[in-house]
Amino acid sequence: MKKKHIIRIITLTGLILFTTITLILSTSILLDILGIREQQGHYVPLIIWSNFLCGCLYILSIIGLFTHKKWSIVPMVLALFILVGAFFGLYIHIMDGGLYEDKTIMALFFRITLTLFLAFGTYVSTKPLL
């Protein structure tokens, strides 16, 4: 029981931090706050919108974890599907000769991996005890 509580706290902390960073960065680029678009170089709108949508899904998952709801894993799984879909979309964009930054590939891979770990933490935190 104590292990599950520790995993829940770690997952919530990581999810809150990651969500905050995700929403601040994606919103800043979408709204061009402080000229951040120019600093980002050749950003791919699909990736930015995917990140923003995932940030919203992370908020739902945080609410579910705070209230100990089993459904809190659902937004995390949806976020994973969106990110994997965005990765394929990025691949198509690159193959079509679209402009992009190399850091976008690594950042998206990192985001998918971190979301996978946070989804696993969410699952462990909400699964019933045997």
Side-chain angles (χ1 to χ4, degrees):
M1 181 73 170
K2 186 165 176 106
K3 242 193 267 189
K4 190 173 172 178
H5 179 70
I6 291 170
I7 291 171
R8 182 175 166 270
I9 296 299
I10 291 170
T11 301
L12 266 172
T13 304
L15 201 50
I16 290 168
L17 290 172
F18 191 51
T19 301
T20 303
I21 292 167
T22 297
L23 289 175
I24 288 172
L25 289 177
S26 60
T27 304
S28 296
I29 294 170
L30 289 171
L31 300 177
D32 197 19
I33 297 172
L34 301 174
I36 199 164
R37 280 187 194 165
E38 188 175 309
Q39 295 172 4
Q40 292 302 312
H42 301 292
Y43 71 95
V44 180
L46 171 69
I47 303 304
I48 304 303
W49 280 106
S50 299
N51 291 343
F52 179 76
L53 182 57
C54 287
C56 296
L57 289 170
Y58 298 152
I59 289 172
L60 290 175
S61 190
I62 290 168
I63 292 167
L65 275 174
F66 265 127
T67 57
H68 299 277
K69 303 293 183 191
K70 292 179 188 175
W71 57 258
S72 61
I73 187 64
V74 174
M76 294 303 292
V77 171
L78 288 173
L80 273 171
F81 277 110
I82 289 169
L83 291 171
V84 170
F87 195 82
F88 285 115
L90 178 61
Y91 176 77
I92 291 168
H93 175 78
I94 292 169
M95 290 297 113
D96 283 345
L99 297 174
Y100 69 100
E101 298 288 331
D102 290 334
K103 65 183 177 182
T104 303
I105 298 169
M106 290 308 297
L108 189 54
F109 181 74
F110 173 76
R111 179 174 295 280
I112 291 170
T113 303
L114 187 56
T115 301
L116 183 63
F117 280 111
L118 291 171
F120 181 73
T122 301
Y123 172 74
V124 169
S125 299
T126 58
K127 74 176 184 176
L129 293 173
L130 299 176

